[in-house]
Amino acid sequence: MLVETMWPAFCRICGRPGSYICPNCRKNRIEKVYEHYCHVCGVVARKQLVHSECLQYTYLDGVYVGYDYSGAVEDMLKEIKYKGYSTLVDALTQPLKEELISWASKTGSDLVTFVPTVRKRKWSRGFNQSELVAKLVGAAVNMKVVGCLRRKSYNHSQVGSGAEERKANVSGSFELAPGINLERRRVLLVDDVMTTGATLEVCAKVLKQTGADRVFGLVIARRRPASTEDML
């Protein structure tokens, strides 16, 4: 993070100085997700956040996805996670402000929380990127951000893991943080990237089992699965 303050900002895509994503690249190289799709089956959902026939397979009442996880967005999210470039969180989140406000209004959420990381990872990286995104989301939608969850155990990296392996890896990994009352709350659960959705599902399950009325996901990016076999 210190390195970021020592050098002037330059576009992470084309190298043009002045900002982390220049206006030209923001317009032509960053792919927003403009159509809402059901996070369970991957089919566009125009009237519902989750198809009624898919609700039995998920604890989430809908998931907002900002960008397709590919190309420049994928590269920048990896720089955040593995190189500690925290300023890129703001560069990716701010352009989604209108969509974030719309999603918060549509879901009727009244509380923002985030997927926690283990202390070791937060200490080595200097931050939890999901928490940084949540704070930016909270500021955009004028909503309180609360750390509702905590990690119970450390899991090995999920990079390259399939859906079933990811589910097994995160099962039982989270619990409600002390002193949190979620009775009748509608929670906006934030993470940086959604792959199979296993982590968000486990977190949503804990939140609902401890009182939350509804839980809606919000992620910066997701690689849209090619088939329903890649979904939850």
Side-chain angles (χ1 to χ4, degrees):
M1 297 175 66
L2 178 61
V3 175
E4 295 178 90
T5 65
M6 297 171 61
W7 304 99
F10 64 91
C11 179
R12 310 303 294 187
I13 303 171
C14 70
R16 183 176 299 169
S19 60
Y20 291 107
I21 308 175
C22 73
N24 183 61
C25 288
R26 190 180 301 284
K27 180 180 179 180
N28 300 306
R29 300 284 297 278
I30 301 292
E31 186 177 352
K32 279 188 181 181
V33 175
Y34 287 101
E35 279 195 303
H36 175 74
Y37 61 87
C38 174
H39 67 277
V40 179
C41 68
V43 176
V44 172
R46 293 188 173 87
K47 295 183 179 181
Q48 301 166 294
L49 300 183
V50 185
H51 295 128
S52 55
E53 60 270 27
C54 294
L55 282 170
Q56 61 182 311
Y57 303 111
T58 179
Y59 287 95
L60 291 157
D61 296 288
V63 178
Y64 167 78
V65 178
Y67 304 101
D68 182 55
Y69 186 67
S70 62
V73 170
E74 180 178 359
D75 291 341
M76 284 187 283
L77 285 166
K78 286 179 177 178
E79 284 193 291
I80 293 167
K81 183 171 287 189
Y82 302 117
K83 296 183 179 180
Y85 293 148
S86 61
T87 49
L88 295 181
V89 173
D90 185 77
L92 285 170
T93 305
Q94 286 299 336
L96 301 173
K97 185 174 181 178
E98 289 184 10
E99 290 88 343
L100 299 179
I101 293 172
S102 175
W103 181 250
S105 174
K106 185 182 296 184
T107 60
S109 301
D110 54 29
L111 177 71
V112 179
T113 193
F114 51 88
V115 175
T117 188
V118 292
R119 291 182 181 180
K120 181 179 178 181
R121 287 179 182 171
K122 186 172 182 178
W123 180 85
S124 63
R125 189 180 294 139
F127 58 90
N128 172 7
Q129 66 273 17
S130 299
E131 183 177 359
L132 293 184
V133 175
K135 288 179 178 178
L136 290 169
V137 171
V141 302
N142 193 28
M143 203 178 296
K144 188 176 182 179
V145 180
V146 179
C148 295
L149 299 165
R150 68 179 182 182
R151 284 266 187 178
K152 290 168 58 179
S153 58
Y154 176 83
N155 307 100
H156 63 77
S157 173
Q158 300 199 96
V159 177
S161 300
E164 292 305 315
E165 187 177 353
R166 284 174 178 267
K167 286 180 184 179
N169 191 34
V170 298
S171 179
S173 297
F174 303 92
E175 65 183 0
L176 194 71
I180 299 296
N181 182 3
L182 295 177
E183 204 65 36
R184 298 183 181 179
R185 302 303 293 267
R186 298 171 71 94
V187 182
L188 195 56
L189 175 62
V190 177
D191 205 359
D192 58 338
V193 177
M194 184 177 183
T195 307
T196 65
T199 300
L200 283 177
E201 284 290 343
V202 171
C203 289
K205 180 180 180 180
V206 172
L207 294 170
K208 283 193 168 181
Q209 289 181 337
T210 52
D213 180 45
R214 296 288 186 89
V215 179
F216 303 94
L218 186 154
V219 296
I220 292 297
R222 183 182 193 182
R223 179 179 286 114
R224 188 165 180 174
S227 70
T228 54
E229 293 181 359
D230 299 325
M231 304 296 284
L232 299 172

